[in-house]
Each structure stands twice: as structure tokens, then as C-alpha cells.
Amino acid sequence: MADTKREIERKYESDAALPDLTRVPGVASVRGRGVTHLDATYHDTTDQRLAASSITLRRRTGGADAGWHLKFPVAPGVRDEIRAPLSDTLPDELAALVRSRVRDRELRPVVRLRSDRDVRHLLDDQDRLLAEVSVDTVHAERLTGGGGEARWTEIEVELADDGDPAFLDKVEKRLRKAGVRPSSSSSKLARALAETEPAPAAGPSAHQAAAGTPPATAPEAAPRHKHHPRADGTPVTAGDHVLAYVRAQRDALVELDPAVRQDVPDAVHRMRVATRRLRSTFRSFRSVLDRAATDPVAADLKWLAAELGKDRDQEVLAERLTQALGRLPADQVDGPVGVRLAAWSEARHKSAHHELVAILDSRRHLTLLDTLDALLDGPPLRKKAAARPDKVLAKAVAKDFGKLAGLVEHALELPPGTERDAALHEARKKTKRTRYAAEAAVPAMGEPAEEAVRDMKALQSLLGDHQDSVMARRTLRELAAVGHAAGESDFTYGVLHAGEAHRARAAEEALPEAWGSIRRAFPF
């Protein structure tokens, strides 16, 4: 069974001995823990997909934590380390957590690091651990590409569990005074890969020679699209801005995959939003990206969003109903409503989560990720992709807003009831699409697009509360029927149902004024 540990550490380059660390404020003593020999083999794909994402996967012997270690970056100097017991082969639970990046590529040993680690504990005046300082003498050996070796010494300072990160600043100040400098590499693996990189071979590669094709030089290489971000990555054209937004959402799908598998709170919601943003972008910016290429991708995104929604919708409903129940006076709670609600929520969540993990492992989902990669590598740009971004993006936002206006005004003309509920739900979906189009326009258009995003968020919140009420009332009727069949009172379900109906009416009554204000001030 794997377990997760938050690792907060800093690395330094120095061949000098450690300075006296008892002079660090708060340190009462430094206790040596001896020297440990560590032997770690790092695994990756041949094209180093994990290293490109600053992820490390290793099998290590020696030390108190021998086993498999998978590290995900959280922030500079902060990583989440997921550990599994030592075994000959990669545990399935760790393999699953890198599947969105690895997909069908083989994981193989790429680097071996053997280190002699001299450990010291920094303790306070009550003998509590503040940080662990180690001096590592490292021998790196590349296991692919003809080999290569490197040696170095580094200092690593790891904060104790639940420690104050500000303490690391105090240690660093002392180290800097002694001439020690922060490492230029984010990890041992990054340094090993850089320092053992084989020298480029002169002349054509073996692959080129076998194929009979000349090596690509600057003039003859396949030309990049003439409208491309500047050297610093800054978008230039409408196409650049749209692709930057698409790329950000593709990255979110990949990066959120491990969190969804681990059932991290809000991870499903964020992945679903990324999926919707992608689909909306393809629809809103059809003048930029050829729909012949994007429509099939959008269909798969719709499928993925629906699968994610099974878990997310239940999560939202459970939270909403639990909070509403908690606000009721005791004399309005009759029967085991809370118990039944909790059981419904847990059972639905477990089932939905199990199904969702299977979806993330499915060939259709992994192919979707590959397709998004290919689309970004060779984007199907149309003529307007080369145009000025302000005109093209503004026109797309205005077009979406015009369709939204028609939906809202149609809903307001309908009497309260099922038909109006459905119309307001359609307006809510169009509100999201308009918001996402405005988000993509923000880097190019600044404040007007930001204002549009704020307006759409406000409208989305109002319409969302109404739709959640519709779904909550449906769920309450189902739960009441189950409870009634079991001989339980359905009184409290009726009280909650009445409360949800009141919230829906309040949203509908607030909509005309809110919509009028948004329509008059909308900047596009």
C-alpha cells in the first residue's frame, strides 16, 4: 500500500565541509546519524516524459525508506513523495499515477545513482527535530544512450514534518555565509541527466543514414507556421492565443490525473472544468481552428465530461443537502435523514470513483490525450488564426454572448416550471462557454475581457444555484421514497424540498435585474 509524504527541502552545491549549524537561530544541537549507502535506479520513458514534467520515479535500496518512490512537484522546493514497498517490479498503484504522462510507452531504467549520505539532525532545545541535513557524495551512471558517468557532492536540507518553512531560510543564511550556494538543478536526477548526456554524434544520425535522408539544417528543416509565439513564448496572433489556452487545459487534464485517482478533494471538478474549457474553445473559435479536426476531439471531450460529471454532480448535491440539513432546527428533523443521506453519498461516490478510474485507464481516454498532443504539435489553423488577436477574439466572445442573450430572454418569457428550468440550464451552459471564450481573450485584451469573465461568473453562479436546486429536489424525492418504503417519516425531506424550491424562486426573481445589468455593461 502506497503512502504520501510532503517533502520540503533545499539543495546546495559545495565541496566544503558543513559550517557549524548550531549557530542557526533555534538550533540547540546537531546530532550525527551516521553514513548510509543509497542505491537508486530511476525509471522513465526513452523520451524522458517524466523528467520533462519534473517527476521522478525510482527504486531505492538502503536507508530507512527503501522502496519505490514517486515524486510530483508541488512548488519550488516542495514535492509530494508517494512510497510503495520494495519489490522487483513497479507497483501497479504507482504505474497508474503516471499513466496520463507515460500512456503506452515503456518505463525502463535510465539512471543509477549511488550515494553515500552523511546525515545530521538539527534539534531544538527540547530535542525536537527541526530539519535533516545530509551531505551526499553522488556517483551517477546513465543506463541508456551509450552510458556516461558523473560525480558530485551536494548538501540537502529537508524540513521536519509539520515544520515551519521559514526555518529553511535561517539554515540557508548560515550556509551562504559559509560560501555554500543553492544548487542549479532541481533534483539529483535532473543533474545526472544533464551531466551524463552523451555528446551529439557528428554527421547524420544512424536513423537518418538508414533512411537515406540528410540531417535537417536550419534552412531545410520543416518550416514552423509563420505565425508563432515570440522566442519568449509571448502569443502574437489570434491562433497563438487560442493555442496557449488549449495547451493550458491539456496540461491540466494530464496533471490532475493522479489527484483524481487518489480522490483528492476538488480534483474531479477541476478536471471537468478543463475538459469543458477545451470543448468550448473548439466551438467558440471555429474561425481559428478547423472544426474538421476539432469536432471529433470535442465529441471525446463531451464523453469525458459526462463521465467526470457522475462523481462531481453527486459530490455537489451531497454537500448542498448536508449543509441544508445542518441548518434545520432540531424539531424539523424527523427520522434518520442524516444517516440515509450519508449512506447515499458514500455509496454513490465509491461507485462513481471506481468507474472514473477505469475511464482514465481506458484506451479512449489515453488516445484523447495523444490526440490533443498531436493537435498542439500540428495545429489545424485557419486563415483567421494569423489575424490580430483583438478583433478575432472579441468577435468570438460577442457571438457567444449574443447566443446567450437569446437563451436567457427566452427563459424569462416562460412561466415557472419544468420548461423554464430546462431553458435556464441551457443558458447556464452557454454562460460557461462565453466565460471561457473571454478567459482565452484576457491576455490579448486585458480589462474588457476580464470584465466579461467577472460578469459571466456572476451569472453562472446565479444560474448554477437554480440548477443545483432542481437537481436537489429530484434527489430529495428519490430519498423520501426510499425512506417511506422503509417505514420512515418523509417530513424532513419535504421541509428540505420546500427550502430548495424557495432558493430556486429567489434565483429566478433575481435574474431579470442581474441580466439587465450585465447586458447593458457587457464590453463586447
Side-chain angles (χ1 to χ4, degrees), residues 378-392:
L381 299 176
R382 301 186 66 193
K383 185 176 180 180
K384 286 190 177 179
R388 286 175 48 185
D390 50 353
K391 292 184 177 181
V392 174

PDB file of all heavy atoms in Angstrom, residues 378-392:
ATOM      1  N   GLY A 378       0.755  20.024 -34.315  1.00  0.00           N
ATOM      2  CA  GLY A 378       0.459  20.434 -35.697  1.00  0.00           C
ATOM      3  C   GLY A 378      -0.928  21.017 -35.768  1.00  0.00           C
ATOM      4  O   GLY A 378      -1.860  20.380 -36.285  1.00  0.00           O
ATOM      5  N   PRO A 379      -1.130  22.215 -35.240  1.00  0.00           N
ATOM      6  CA  PRO A 379      -2.480  22.783 -35.110  1.00  0.00           C
ATOM      7  C   PRO A 379      -3.159  23.017 -36.454  1.00  0.00           C
ATOM      8  O   PRO A 379      -2.535  23.511 -37.396  1.00  0.00           O
ATOM      9  CB  PRO A 379      -2.234  24.111 -34.383  1.00  0.00           C
ATOM     10  CG  PRO A 379      -0.801  24.449 -34.642  1.00  0.00           C
ATOM     11  CD  PRO A 379      -0.095  23.132 -34.725  1.00  0.00           C
ATOM     12  N   PRO A 380      -4.439  22.676 -36.543  1.00  0.00           N
ATOM     13  CA  PRO A 380      -5.198  22.861 -37.787  1.00  0.00           C
ATOM     14  C   PRO A 380      -5.688  24.308 -37.914  1.00  0.00           C
ATOM     15  O   PRO A 380      -6.888  24.596 -37.805  1.00  0.00           O
ATOM     16  CB  PRO A 380      -6.356  21.873 -37.626  1.00  0.00           C
ATOM     17  CG  PRO A 380      -6.608  21.864 -36.141  1.00  0.00           C
ATOM     18  CD  PRO A 380      -5.264  22.019 -35.504  1.00  0.00           C
ATOM     19  N   LEU A 381      -4.773  25.224 -38.139  1.00  0.00           N
ATOM     20  CA  LEU A 381      -5.091  26.645 -38.142  1.00  0.00           C
ATOM     21  C   LEU A 381      -5.789  27.072 -39.432  1.00  0.00           C
ATOM     22  O   LEU A 381      -5.419  26.649 -40.532  1.00  0.00           O
ATOM     23  CB  LEU A 381      -3.814  27.467 -37.956  1.00  0.00           C
ATOM     24  CG  LEU A 381      -3.059  27.236 -36.653  1.00  0.00           C
ATOM     25  CD1 LEU A 381      -1.762  28.046 -36.635  1.00  0.00           C
ATOM     26  CD2 LEU A 381      -3.928  27.593 -35.450  1.00  0.00           C
ATOM     27  N   ARG A 382      -6.793  27.937 -39.276  1.00  0.00           N
ATOM     28  CA  ARG A 382      -7.468  28.523 -40.414  1.00  0.00           C
ATOM     29  C   ARG A 382      -6.892  29.919 -40.688  1.00  0.00           C
ATOM     30  O   ARG A 382      -6.020  30.410 -39.955  1.00  0.00           O
ATOM     31  CB  ARG A 382      -8.967  28.602 -40.152  1.00  0.00           C
ATOM     32  CG  ARG A 382      -9.603  27.229 -39.877  1.00  0.00           C
ATOM     33  CD  ARG A 382     -11.095  27.331 -39.764  1.00  0.00           C
ATOM     34  NE  ARG A 382     -11.684  27.724 -41.040  1.00  0.00           N
ATOM     35  CZ  ARG A 382     -12.937  28.134 -41.184  1.00  0.00           C
ATOM     36  NH1 ARG A 382     -13.736  28.210 -40.120  1.00  0.00           N
ATOM     37  NH2 ARG A 382     -13.418  28.476 -42.362  1.00  0.00           N
ATOM     38  N   LYS A 383      -7.397  30.541 -41.732  1.00  0.00           N
ATOM     39  CA  LYS A 383      -6.828  31.818 -42.170  1.00  0.00           C
ATOM     40  C   LYS A 383      -6.851  32.875 -41.077  1.00  0.00           C
ATOM     41  O   LYS A 383      -5.882  33.615 -40.895  1.00  0.00           O
ATOM     42  CB  LYS A 383      -7.585  32.316 -43.406  1.00  0.00           C
ATOM     43  CG  LYS A 383      -6.995  33.586 -44.018  1.00  0.00           C
ATOM     44  CD  LYS A 383      -7.741  33.959 -45.290  1.00  0.00           C
ATOM     45  CE  LYS A 383      -7.156  35.225 -45.909  1.00  0.00           C
ATOM     46  NZ  LYS A 383      -7.886  35.602 -47.166  1.00  0.00           N
ATOM     47  N   LYS A 384      -7.924  32.943 -40.310  1.00  0.00           N
ATOM     48  CA  LYS A 384      -8.030  33.988 -39.293  1.00  0.00           C
ATOM     49  C   LYS A 384      -7.103  33.773 -38.102  1.00  0.00           C
ATOM     50  O   LYS A 384      -6.954  34.665 -37.269  1.00  0.00           O
ATOM     51  CB  LYS A 384      -9.477  34.103 -38.820  1.00  0.00           C
ATOM     52  CG  LYS A 384     -10.386  34.767 -39.842  1.00  0.00           C
ATOM     53  CD  LYS A 384     -11.744  35.088 -39.262  1.00  0.00           C
ATOM     54  CE  LYS A 384     -12.618  35.817 -40.289  1.00  0.00           C
ATOM     55  NZ  LYS A 384     -13.964  36.132 -39.756  1.00  0.00           N
ATOM     56  N   ALA A 385      -6.484  32.605 -38.029  1.00  0.00           N
ATOM     57  CA  ALA A 385      -5.514  32.371 -36.960  1.00  0.00           C
ATOM     58  C   ALA A 385      -4.341  33.340 -37.067  1.00  0.00           C
ATOM     59  O   ALA A 385      -3.693  33.659 -36.070  1.00  0.00           O
ATOM     60  CB  ALA A 385      -5.003  30.938 -37.012  1.00  0.00           C
ATOM     61  N   ALA A 386      -4.074  33.828 -38.274  1.00  0.00           N
ATOM     62  CA  ALA A 386      -2.951  34.738 -38.485  1.00  0.00           C
ATOM     63  C   ALA A 386      -3.314  36.194 -38.243  1.00  0.00           C
ATOM     64  O   ALA A 386      -2.454  37.066 -38.288  1.00  0.00           O
ATOM     65  CB  ALA A 386      -2.427  34.575 -39.917  1.00  0.00           C
ATOM     66  N   ALA A 387      -4.573  36.460 -37.948  1.00  0.00           N
ATOM     67  CA  ALA A 387      -5.031  37.844 -37.801  1.00  0.00           C
ATOM     68  C   ALA A 387      -4.709  38.390 -36.414  1.00  0.00           C
ATOM     69  O   ALA A 387      -4.291  37.669 -35.506  1.00  0.00           O
ATOM     70  CB  ALA A 387      -6.532  37.916 -38.056  1.00  0.00           C
ATOM     71  N   ARG A 388      -4.956  39.708 -36.268  1.00  0.00           N
ATOM     72  CA  ARG A 388      -4.778  40.350 -34.971  1.00  0.00           C
ATOM     73  C   ARG A 388      -5.691  39.704 -33.941  1.00  0.00           C
ATOM     74  O   ARG A 388      -6.873  39.484 -34.211  1.00  0.00           O
ATOM     75  CB  ARG A 388      -5.096  41.832 -35.073  1.00  0.00           C
ATOM     76  CG  ARG A 388      -4.052  42.662 -35.785  1.00  0.00           C
ATOM     77  CD  ARG A 388      -4.523  44.095 -35.932  1.00  0.00           C
ATOM     78  NE  ARG A 388      -5.049  44.634 -34.682  1.00  0.00           N
ATOM     79  CZ  ARG A 388      -5.614  45.839 -34.575  1.00  0.00           C
ATOM     80  NH1 ARG A 388      -5.742  46.605 -35.652  1.00  0.00           N
ATOM     81  NH2 ARG A 388      -6.067  46.264 -33.419  1.00  0.00           N
ATOM     82  N   PRO A 389      -5.178  39.418 -32.755  1.00  0.00           N
ATOM     83  CA  PRO A 389      -6.000  38.692 -31.786  1.00  0.00           C
ATOM     84  C   PRO A 389      -7.185  39.486 -31.268  1.00  0.00           C
ATOM     85  O   PRO A 389      -8.245  38.910 -31.008  1.00  0.00           O
ATOM     86  CB  PRO A 389      -5.005  38.387 -30.654  1.00  0.00           C
ATOM     87  CG  PRO A 389      -3.921  39.404 -30.797  1.00  0.00           C
ATOM     88  CD  PRO A 389      -3.808  39.654 -32.267  1.00  0.00           C
ATOM     89  N   ASP A 390      -7.060  40.824 -31.133  1.00  0.00           N
ATOM     90  CA  ASP A 390      -8.153  41.582 -30.516  1.00  0.00           C
ATOM     91  C   ASP A 390      -9.440  41.470 -31.338  1.00  0.00           C
ATOM     92  O   ASP A 390     -10.521  41.221 -30.801  1.00  0.00           O
ATOM     93  CB  ASP A 390      -7.760  43.042 -30.305  1.00  0.00           C
ATOM     94  CG  ASP A 390      -7.188  43.693 -31.561  1.00  0.00           C
ATOM     95  OD1 ASP A 390      -6.976  42.979 -32.556  1.00  0.00           O
ATOM     96  OD2 ASP A 390      -6.962  44.919 -31.538  1.00  0.00           O
ATOM     97  N   LYS A 391      -9.337  41.604 -32.650  1.00  0.00           N
ATOM     98  CA  LYS A 391     -10.532  41.546 -33.482  1.00  0.00           C
ATOM     99  C   LYS A 391     -11.150  40.153 -33.511  1.00  0.00           C
ATOM    100  O   LYS A 391     -12.362  39.987 -33.344  1.00  0.00           O
ATOM    101  CB  LYS A 391     -10.208  42.006 -34.904  1.00  0.00           C
ATOM    102  CG  LYS A 391      -9.873  43.485 -35.015  1.00  0.00           C
ATOM    103  CD  LYS A 391      -9.655  43.877 -36.468  1.00  0.00           C
ATOM    104  CE  LYS A 391      -9.386  45.380 -36.593  1.00  0.00           C
ATOM    105  NZ  LYS A 391      -9.187  45.789 -38.003  1.00  0.00           N
ATOM    106  N   VAL A 392     -10.329  39.149 -33.706  1.00  0.00           N
ATOM    107  CA  VAL A 392     -10.842  37.781 -33.837  1.00  0.00           C
ATOM    108  C   VAL A 392     -11.432  37.287 -32.524  1.00  0.00           C
ATOM    109  O   VAL A 392     -12.530  36.722 -32.485  1.00  0.00           O
ATOM    110  CB  VAL A 392      -9.720  36.831 -34.319  1.00  0.00           C
ATOM    111  CG1 VAL A 392     -10.204  35.389 -34.320  1.00  0.00           C
ATOM    112  CG2 VAL A 392      -9.255  37.233 -35.717  1.00  0.00           C
TER     113      VAL A 392
END
